[in-house]
Amino acid sequence: MPVTDSIADYITRIRNAGRAKNKTTDIPYSKLRENISQLLQDKGYIKNFTVITTEKFPFIRIELKYTASGEPSIKEITRVSRPGRRTYEGKDIKKYLGGLGLYILSSSKGVITDKEAREQGVGGEILFRIY
């Protein structure tokens, strides 16, 4: 079954795995998904990720992170820009939840957060928001 929106699929798999209290989730591989996973790991939303290659197709195994009380560290993850309605921001990107959450952007500098985009003075397509 082909996926029309690979970012929405990525987000949904992470959200569902967190709600089900799974330790890991597997996501089909793409370079963009790998870059997003690296960013989420650097920002502390996921524990770790591993790219696994098999005979048929490669995939990314993401280890989810939980708080001491057992709640997922990702409280909310929502797609912003969709295939039917792309959302772009210029250099003056607003903060999400007053800086508590992050917007993840695809820009000319790669996949970056809203804070990094403001520091570098670039804009881009807002892929999703996370808190």
Side-chain angles (χ1 to χ4, degrees), residues 52-59:
I52 300 171
T53 56
T54 61
E55 290 181 14
K56 291 190 176 184
F57 60 90
F59 61 92

Side-chain angles (χ1 to χ4, degrees), residues 107-118:
S107 72
S108 59
K109 306 282 184 180
V111 178
I112 57 175
T113 65
D114 56 341
K115 182 180 178 185
E116 294 167 349
R118 280 191 296 277

Side-chain angles (χ1 to χ4, degrees), residues 40-116:
L40 293 181
Q41 181 183 358
D42 293 344
K43 298 302 176 187
Y45 286 105
I46 61 174
K47 252 190 211 179
N48 195 8
F49 75 96
T50 309
V51 177
I52 300 171
T53 56
T54 61
E55 290 181 14
K56 291 190 176 184
F57 60 90
F59 61 92
I60 301 170
R61 179 162 289 155
I62 295 179
E63 292 180 49
L64 299 175
K65 188 175 180 181
Y66 294 93
T67 62
S69 62
E71 293 298 314
S73 63
I74 299 174
K75 294 173 183 53
E76 176 191 331
I77 185 167
T78 310
R79 183 80 158 117
V80 175
S81 184
R82 296 182 165 95
R85 183 173 182 169
R86 299 289 183 189
T87 305
Y88 297 93
E89 283 289 331
K91 297 176 187 176
D92 54 340
I93 299 168
K94 58 188 177 201
K95 293 181 180 180
Y96 178 55
L97 292 177
L100 293 175
L102 295 174
Y103 283 116
I104 307 299
L105 288 90
S106 175
S107 72
S108 59
K109 306 282 184 180
V111 178
I112 57 175
T113 65
D114 56 341
K115 182 180 178 185
E116 294 167 349

Side-chain angles (χ1 to χ4, degrees), residues 6-7 29-37 60 106 111 127:
S6 66
I7 304 301
Y29 177 83
S30 77
K31 188 68 176 171
L32 177 62
R33 290 176 180 182
E34 181 182 7
N35 293 339
I36 292 171
S37 299
I60 301 170
S106 175
V111 178
L127 299 176

